[in-house]
Amino acid sequence: MDIKNQGIILYGAHWCPDCRQSKQFFGENQIPYKWVNIEMDKAGEKFVVEKNNGKRIIPTIVFPDGSILVEPSNAELAAKLNLKTKAEKSHYPLIIIGGGPAGLTAALYTAREGIDTLVIERAALGGQAAATQWLDNVPGYADGIAGFEYCDQLRKQTERFGVEILQAQNVINVFSKDNYHHVQTADGSEYTAKALLIASGSHYKRLNVRGESEFIGAGIHFCATCDGPFYKGEKIVVVGGGNSATEESVFLLNFVEHVTMLVRGDKLNASKILVDKIAHVENKGKIDVRYHWEVESFSGSGGKLSSVMIKNNQTGEQEVINPAGVFIFIGLSPNISFLKNSGVLTNEWGFIITGHDLLHGENHALVFEGKEPAPFETNIPGIFVAGDVRSGSTKQVASATGEGATAALLIREFLKTV
């Protein structure tokens, strides 16, 4: 079943946490669907009640083949969508955690070297790059390329060389024992490898203000590509002033009527081309940039965001605004929750320290018995890192692919020694 070209309908309500979980699953895996809010759609509510024997149970999800899942787990959704979540073997020479540009490029290189490789990805292949509307700075694409298309081509190229890929599978623990690296997943499976590559990427930071957690997925979002279409003709807010915030603000104008950008500093910290784009649409009245303004809290009712308290960090002035939705792009945090038992060293922000950087700092004790770790290798021999999750990475698609290729070649040499 080609779900990319057929419709999935998700019946739910904004206040429903299970509905938000299903929406997030579809968004993370780049699966298109139609959202029906039964609080606003009486026909939709009637359909849900009829299909659930008189009960109003949500989410109720209808698939193109006519089948229905009610309150499904992520595992049930993955099975229904034929996403592979269990590996064929229990041991591999190399396991790659993360299926973004760094992880997929590394897998492409190692597979071509004849190294049996398993890639485990918790969401959509391509990571944040897949959710990026347009990539203009990837070498080889003179006119640019859509993020999803680029990542889909990378996936196909990787699979052509026989790489085994698990999707919608969370890695929950990594540890090393008896010369093997162990990887445990949320479904209870455990895999071992001689070498690991951590390419788990990063995610957008939260504001950590009152009301934020309550309205995520119900008015607060972190993915313009995933959730922008739900705000056609509306006025929305974007929080942030960096490259992501400026780029996504311009992209959101494909759907929304107006964007208000809240920037805590006195200028946009973005590339000149993006700043120029903002100035261009600002002159047309499509975007307002408000400098020195920060979010104080979010409020709403019925599980849906309705107002935002903002504050000027220079004057102390407060104001309540009422956007249809808020998109937050204020920087990145590494995806490393599964490393708590690994012994892998990170910096103060949680990004993984590798290579020569391990020689500096009082806490960076090495276990390499007299030799320096290789570039992109952690303090645990045989565990390598590439892409956004690595301390010192530049958080760019082109550099992530380069790091993936380099890490793959280093892993090839490491495997010759074990």
Side-chain angles (χ1 to χ4, degrees), residues 62-80:
V62 182
F63 294 87
D65 61 3
S67 62
I68 295 175
L69 288 179
V70 179
E71 295 183 311
S73 66
N74 283 352
E76 290 172 324
L77 286 173
K80 177 62 185 175

Side-chain angles (χ1 to χ4, degrees), residues 200-374:
S200 50
S202 57
H203 61 275
Y204 285 112
K205 291 180 180 177
R206 296 187 181 185
L207 293 169
N208 294 319
V209 299
R210 181 166 55 85
E212 181 181 30
S213 296
E214 182 180 352
F215 297 109
I216 289 176
I220 297 176
H221 309 279
F222 301 87
C223 177
T225 303
C226 309
D227 299 311
F230 295 118
Y231 293 93
K232 289 182 179 178
E234 302 279 8
K235 297 179 179 180
I236 61 99
V237 162
V238 168
V239 181
N243 282 326
S244 294
T246 51
E247 186 169 25
E248 301 294 12
S249 292
V250 174
F251 167 67
L252 282 163
L253 289 174
N254 290 307
F255 312 105
V256 306
E257 178 185 337
H258 185 271
V259 174
T260 297
M261 294 184 68
L262 301 179
V263 182
R264 67 178 181 178
D266 60 358
K267 63 180 180 180
L268 295 173
N269 291 309
S271 66
K272 184 179 185 303
I273 189 170
L274 290 174
V275 172
D276 289 344
K277 283 183 179 180
I278 292 293
H280 177 70
V281 292
E282 193 174 14
N283 288 336
K284 292 186 174 182
K286 290 290 189 179
I287 286 182
D288 287 332
V289 183
R290 300 184 64 175
Y291 297 103
H292 299 299
W293 286 90
E294 301 183 36
V295 174
E296 287 275 283
S297 64
F298 296 99
S299 301
S301 60
K304 181 71 172 68
L305 177 72
S306 60
S307 63
V308 184
M309 173 69 77
I310 61 174
K311 181 178 180 179
N312 188 295
N313 58 31
Q314 298 294 299
T315 67
E317 177 188 356
Q318 290 184 314
E319 181 182 339
V320 176
I321 57 177
N322 305 101
V326 176
F327 290 78
I328 301 172
F329 305 107
I330 58 168
L332 300 169
S333 293
N335 297 322
I336 59 164
S337 61
F338 56 89
L339 291 177
K340 56 185 177 296
N341 299 315
S342 68
V344 170
L345 292 174
T346 63
N347 66 15
E348 59 186 304
W349 299 284
F351 292 94
I352 301 172
I353 304 167
T354 58
H356 185 75
D357 289 343
L358 286 163
L359 302 178
H360 304 285
E362 59 184 17
N363 295 320
H364 300 170
L366 300 181
V367 291
F368 278 76
E369 299 179 354
K371 78 176 185 70
E372 288 191 21

